[in-house]
């Protein structure tokens, strides 16, 4: 986990507002994904609004539908993993 997700709130238009422990916050637009594949069930706005932070810090709607909070962080910040973990630039493990 890169940065702990502190809160997630559903917004109109199948967007989420995310806030992270390091002060980063922003919107994640899922409108192109909702209604397709694993996100089919989220087409119902009432179901989409039931988003929560799961036990493993994931953005979740159920045991079957979730998004990695780290991936969402990279999307919001428009950063690469190497920008977050300098050791990746040198080919080292971050674990």
């Amino acid at each position: 986990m890169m940065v702990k997700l502190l809160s997630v709130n559903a917004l109109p238009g199948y967007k989420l507002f995310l806030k992270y422990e390091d002060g980063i916050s922003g919107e994640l637009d899922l409108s192109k994904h909702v209604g397709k594949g694993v996100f089919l069930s989220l087409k119902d706005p009432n179901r989409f609004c039931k988003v929560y932070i799961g036990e493993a810090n994931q953005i979740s709607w159920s045991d079957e539908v979730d998004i990695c909070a780290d991936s969402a962080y990279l999307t919001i910040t428009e950063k690469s993993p190497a920008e977050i973990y300098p050791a990746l630039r040198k080919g080292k493990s971050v674990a």
Side-chain angles (χ1 to χ4, degrees):
M1 173 174 35
M2 290 188 294
V3 181
K4 184 176 180 182
L5 179 62
L6 296 178
S7 65
V8 58
N9 296 295
L11 300 173
Y14 301 108
K15 296 178 183 177
L16 299 174
F17 185 78
L18 308 173
K19 184 174 181 181
Y20 288 86
E21 189 174 49
D22 66 352
I24 294 293
S25 62
E27 287 185 15
L28 182 66
D29 185 354
L30 298 176
S31 61
K32 293 180 182 178
H33 305 287
V34 168
K36 299 175 185 172
V38 71
F39 299 112
L40 182 64
S41 65
L42 300 181
K43 186 87 173 163
D44 175 0
N46 291 324
R47 175 113 194 258
F48 186 81
C49 288
K50 293 182 181 179
V51 66
Y52 62 93
I53 300 171
E55 291 181 25
N57 198 51
Q58 77 276 23
I59 301 162
S60 189
W61 289 268
S62 69
D63 289 341
E64 294 85 29
V65 182
D66 61 36
I67 298 172
C68 174
D70 290 347
S71 177
Y73 183 90
L74 292 173
T75 299
I76 289 170
T77 61
E78 298 181 346
K79 291 184 178 182
S80 70
E83 290 176 285
I84 304 295
Y85 294 116
L88 289 176
R89 285 182 243 150
K90 299 173 186 167
K92 297 179 183 176
S93 173
V94 294

